[in-house]
Amino acid sequence: MVEAARHIISTDEFSFVVEITADNDLVWRHWGTKIDSGPLPPQSSTQTRTTFSLDTEVPMAVVPTSGFGWFGPPGVRCHRDGRQAGQRLKVISVAITATTFDAVLCDESCGVEVIVAIAPQGACLRIATTLRNIGDAPLSVEKLAAVLPLPPHAKTIVSFSGRHNGEMVEHCEPMPAQGWYREQRAGLTGHGGPPGLFVLGEGSDWDRGDVWAAQLAWSGNHRLAVEPVGADGWAVLLGATYGPGEITLASDETLSAPDVIACYSGNGRNGAIQGFHEAIRSGRRSRELKPRPVHFNSWESVYFDHDEGRMIALVESAAALGVERFVLDDGWFRGRTTDRVGLGDWSADPVRYPRGLAPVAQRVKELGMEFGLWVEPEMVNPDSDLYRQHPDWVLGATEVAPLPLARHQLVLDMAREEVRAHLFAALSSLLRELPISYLKWDHNRALAPVSGADGCGSATAQVRATYALWDRLRAAFPQVEMEACAAGGGRIDAGFAARADRFWTSDNIDAVSRIPIQRGFLHFMPPEMMGAHVGASPSHATGRTQSLDFRAMIALPGHFGIELAPDRLGADERERLTHWVTHFKLLRDTLHNTAMWLGEGSDGLRWQAHGEARHFLLLVTRTEPSRNGRESPLKLPMVADIPHMVVRLLASSDRASRSTRTANANEEQHFPGRWLAAHGLPLPHLSGESAVLFELVASTQGRDTLI
């Protein structure tokens, strides 16, 4: 038996409180404001009895199970041929340090053991849950998830949905009367963004009030749920989902659930966003990112229309703009003149590249740039040498019905060791033969069907096997950066954030579309990982026309890149694009690896700020014309404690704004920080589809401005 006790696990900003009861149950007591050690009141739910209730109500366990009085969402569901389905998990041991809490729970009669580990990750806490079969017979697992508590005063759920070219659509919904659910079944994260959510307390906004946020470090099928649990508030569930028969544990075998990254902020949404950014950065400290090189991607410049001469000319045009990394996108490999052929045959097309890719890569290096290459290793075209040699290597190969195609391709069964070995060999050959410093790794379809070679469901195995291949490549080629792309933003999550150096946010590069997409991304991931390109005008995705300055300013806060045909630009546009490349190089240290704030002004105005305590960059955008005669001042709460700020307009995409005296570049304005926080920064009038960029510096800092 373990002695009854309360334990507090804290970051600098918030606490989890768990309690081991006299019955050796491990239950939640608190997730929120930081709690100091000391006595707490007893569990209220164990002190009362209402009509049609148990004599002693069951509080929310850290790992809740069903069948013994907990009627909220269970965190674990397993059985042995339908028997021993109700577990009563009791604490048998705990290990505690100043910042970590590990507990082992067990139901010996059912042969089930669960290990829970809670530890800091940056400004968040990471919850790891592992299930072990300690019985003799196989154990079928249907669910293993984290369940977290929310207090009764939680009011609003902020979540995201999406589609290809329309990722990260924000939704704000009241707490549900019955239940709120988001489930992804396509085998990957999905275009709604990371599997996570924000929950706002009453009166909370961007910079004040209670916010609870959590995201799952997982890249496959998942379920998020919020359910009411009576007077105690709400239960939040986050976990992977498993198909019938997908997870069966032999004796002494374990299953680890995807970890959950959780945080609380008493300073509104921005506090939780900053907590997530610090956690994601902390989770990849073994690969700290160098300053993000200006990126050029060939896709929307040429699509499949490749040849050596044209590509070398494109390389030279990119270098003339100041680009630091050139990425050769889809269309370079054998037979790849359309998306119907060649996928899986990872060698240069002998017709369009008769000397291989070496001449192109060498020209990239000669011009002082890094060379990157697009691949889609998890997929194969039926019209490919790989498929003709190994038709049994695809998911669903054992199915009787014809296999469904998507983008004219099938999915390789990554759980097969021979598939991973083949892909590692093919990619390793490319990485050894060419001076590749970057791989853009794409994934352009959902998993259907999801059965492996044994005919059983394999969605979970597919994700874990893909992780394993990434990890093996990273270990073998640590100098190579890798981007996670899935038809744009279909696989952005904390599972890949621990492995990837960059995410491709969306195939939609239209600047107006990108504003909400990128703001959704920034709720979960830091800006230095956000691929953001200056695209063509008219946009290839939407057909809309926008000024080059506006397109560049929207791309500026992320990992800045270019994806257009330079030879189709006029001389003035090339000069402006070169100007923005230079600006990004000057600004990237302030935009990246610093704190970031999102906010909204009046009449549809949106803003974001990046920087440290005394130096900030402020980007203000408007997509629709204002209904007012002039802009309202923009309140900036992050500078409230700075006595004196110097504000300078760095750039404007709005010709009307650039012509007004109050918005002249290099003109300084001086404000007390409290004035900017309480009354706001005066803004020039902005037309639709325009942006302005300001620099704010504490006057006592005595440093030069960036530009």
Side-chain angles (χ1 to χ4, degrees):
M1 297 288 289
V2 177
E3 184 178 355
R6 297 186 183 100
H7 301 284
I8 301 172
I9 312 104
S10 297
T11 69
D12 292 339
E13 303 296 330
F14 72 95
S15 297
F16 277 139
V17 180
V18 299
E19 181 176 48
I20 302 173
T21 70
D23 293 328
N24 281 105
D25 295 315
L26 182 65
V27 301
W28 286 117
R29 292 301 312 273
H30 173 78
W31 173 24
T33 306
K34 192 166 184 179
I35 300 294
D36 296 324
S37 59
L40 296 175
Q43 283 275 2
S44 60
S45 63
T46 63
Q47 308 304 307
T48 61
R49 182 179 183 276
T50 61
T51 303
F52 203 75
S53 68
L54 301 177
D55 288 347
T56 302
E57 293 191 24
V58 177
M60 185 188 301
V62 173
V63 186
T65 60
S66 57
F68 289 93
W70 169 252
F71 303 113
V76 60
R77 182 184 292 129
C78 55
H79 62 88
R80 301 178 200 276
D81 292 329
R83 298 183 298 276
Q84 297 179 327
Q87 291 85 38
R88 304 185 73 172
L89 296 169
K90 302 295 183 179
V91 180
I92 60 172
S93 68
V94 294
I96 304 166
T97 71
T99 57
T100 65
F101 175 86
D102 296 349
V104 179
L105 300 88
C106 184
D107 183 339
E108 292 187 359
S109 65
C110 290
V112 174
E113 180 182 270
V114 176
I115 302 97
V116 177
I118 305 174
Q121 180 170 315
C124 297
L125 287 169
R126 191 174 185 110
I127 306 167
T129 308
T130 301
L131 174 68
R132 184 162 72 99
N133 178 13
I134 60 173
D136 295 330
L139 182 71
S140 297
V141 182
E142 296 179 355
K143 178 187 288 188
L144 184 61
V147 179
L148 305 177
L150 287 175
H153 64 276
K155 294 299 181 184
T156 304
I157 299 170
V158 180
S159 65
F160 298 85
S161 65
R163 59 170 177 81
H164 177 237
N165 279 349
E167 291 85 349
M168 299 296 296
V169 179
E170 180 180 315
H171 303 278
C172 294
E173 304 167 81
M175 301 300 284
Q178 301 291 339
W180 175 95
Y181 307 97
R182 167 184 154 176
E183 190 160 347
Q184 171 65 15
R185 307 179 186 91
L188 70 166
T189 314
H191 288 84
L197 74 169
F198 291 67
V199 177
L200 313 184
E202 187 169 11
S204 297
D205 59 19
W206 290 103
D207 294 289
R208 62 181 179 177
D210 297 324
V211 175
W212 301 263
Q215 60 176 305
L216 199 63
W218 182 240
S219 310
N221 292 338
H222 59 267
R223 180 177 174 85
L224 311 179
V226 178
E227 294 187 16
V229 288
D232 291 330
W234 312 85
V236 179
L237 178 144
L238 304 96
T241 57
Y242 310 122
E246 188 174 353
I247 306 295
T248 301
L249 302 181
S251 181
D252 205 40
E253 193 174 4
T254 63
L255 170 68
S256 292
D259 290 358
V260 169
I261 301 171
C263 66
Y264 162 83
S265 165
N267 298 308
R269 260 205 250 190
N270 279 321
I273 289 169
Q274 291 166 10
F276 274 162
H277 289 187
E278 186 175 337
I280 295 299
R281 289 164 177 155
S282 175
R284 60 182 324 281
R285 285 303 185 197
S286 61
R287 283 193 333 282
E288 291 193 39
L289 293 174
K290 65 184 180 183
R292 297 292 73 208
V294 177
H295 196 95
F296 187 95
N297 188 274
S298 71
W299 178 241
E300 289 198 4
S301 302
V302 298
Y303 291 102
F304 292 113
D305 192 7
H306 285 228
D307 64 61
E308 181 184 305
R310 181 173 189 180
M311 201 56 63
I312 288 177
L314 189 61
V315 167
E316 292 169 348
S317 296
L321 296 171
V323 166
E324 297 166 303
R325 173 187 288 157
F326 183 93
V327 179
L328 184 60
D329 208 289
D330 193 0
W332 60 268
F333 46 94
R334 190 162 65 250
R336 189 66 164 179
T337 55
T338 72
D339 61 5
R340 295 174 177 270
V341 62
L343 198 62
D345 299 338
W346 301 113
S347 60
D349 184 76
V351 176
R352 291 169 295 164
Y353 294 100
R355 298 189 292 166
L357 297 183
V360 176
Q362 186 58 40
R363 188 60 180 142
V364 170
K365 299 293 288 184
E366 289 171 355
L367 293 170
M369 298 183 290
E370 300 176 11
F371 179 61
L373 196 64
W374 180 94
V375 292
E376 193 175 3
E378 297 158 78
M379 306 294 165
V380 64
N381 285 130
D383 188 359
S384 67
D385 290 343
L386 178 62
Y387 184 76
R388 283 185 282 270
Q389 293 166 7
H390 299 287
D392 57 318
W393 279 10
V394 300
L395 284 178
T398 58
E399 301 289 332
V400 175
L403 298 180
L405 294 173
R407 204 185 182 228
H408 313 291
Q409 60 195 48
L410 298 169
V411 186
L412 291 173
D413 185 350
M414 298 294 289
R416 296 178 66 141
E417 176 61 37
E418 64 269 36
V419 171
R420 296 197 306 278
H422 168 81
L423 293 175
F424 180 80
L427 296 173
S428 296
S429 178
L430 288 169
L431 293 170
R432 292 191 180 100
E433 292 172 5
L434 296 167
I436 298 170
S437 60
Y438 183 87
L439 285 179
K440 179 182 177 181
W441 185 302
D442 214 338
H443 183 291
N444 277 312
R445 62 158 292 175
L447 307 187
V450 291
S451 58
D454 59 0
C456 296
S458 61
T460 302
Q462 186 80 358
V463 176
R464 297 195 185 281
T466 302
Y467 286 167
L469 180 57
W470 272 63
D471 293 344
R472 186 180 177 189
L473 283 164
R474 299 234 59 143
F477 302 95
Q479 78 284 3
V480 176
E481 291 195 6
M482 295 171 68
E483 174 183 300
C485 174
R491 196 157 67 176
I492 297 170
D493 57 74
F496 263 104
R499 297 166 169 85
D501 303 287
R502 187 183 202 255
F503 289 108
W504 182 224
T505 318
S506 176
D507 285 341
N508 185 349
I509 317 178
D510 175 281
V512 171
S513 297
R514 270 298 185 120
I515 292 172
I517 291 172
Q518 292 181 178
R519 287 169 72 89
F521 178 100
L522 292 170
H523 273 69
F524 298 93
M525 299 291 159
E528 60 270 17
M529 299 186 76
M530 182 176 73
H533 293 178
V534 182
S537 182
S539 164
H540 292 197
T542 67
R544 284 191 291 217
T545 299
Q546 296 140 359
S547 73
L548 191 144
D549 284 341
F550 180 62
R551 285 175 277 148
M553 292 177 76
I554 299 308
L556 190 72
H559 183 173
F560 184 84
I562 300 167
E563 190 164 342
L564 49 71
D567 60 356
R568 297 175 192 166
L569 300 177
D572 290 346
E573 286 186 307
R574 284 197 297 272
E575 181 181 350
R576 291 303 297 167
L577 190 50
T578 303
H579 163 86
W580 283 110
V581 168
T582 301
H583 270 39
F584 173 74
K585 293 175 183 178
L586 292 169
L587 301 176
R588 57 188 164 194
D589 286 346
T590 303
L591 292 167
H592 299 164
N593 295 299
T594 58
M596 192 210 72
W597 294 260
L598 297 176
E600 298 174 5
S602 62
D603 195 25
L605 204 73
R606 296 169 180 166
W607 64 269
Q608 63 190 78
H610 302 242
E612 300 294 356
R614 304 180 70 81
H615 185 239
F616 306 89
L617 292 168
L618 171 68
L619 177 66
V620 183
T621 60
R622 177 174 289 290
T623 57
E624 298 291 335
S626 175
R627 293 168 293 183
N628 301 321
R630 60 183 177 87
E631 301 290 356
S632 300
L634 189 65
K635 293 182 180 181
L636 302 173
M638 71 279 189
V639 300
D641 295 331
I642 301 176
H644 190 194
M645 299 295 300
V646 178
V647 181
R648 186 164 71 99
L649 180 72
L650 295 183
S652 172
S653 72
D654 192 315
R655 293 184 183 275
S657 295
R658 290 205 299 270
S659 68
T660 61
R661 181 182 179 280
T662 57
N664 284 340
N666 299 313
E667 180 180 341
E668 291 184 353
Q669 301 180 74
H670 295 255
F671 302 92
R674 288 186 180 179
W675 178 272
L676 292 175
H679 295 279
L681 174 69
L683 296 175
H685 181 73
L686 292 173
S687 60
E689 298 187 11
S690 62
V692 288
L693 179 67
F694 294 93
E695 182 184 34
L696 293 79
V697 182
S699 63
T700 58
Q701 196 167 1
R703 62 175 289 171
D704 293 334
T705 54
L706 290 172
I707 296 176

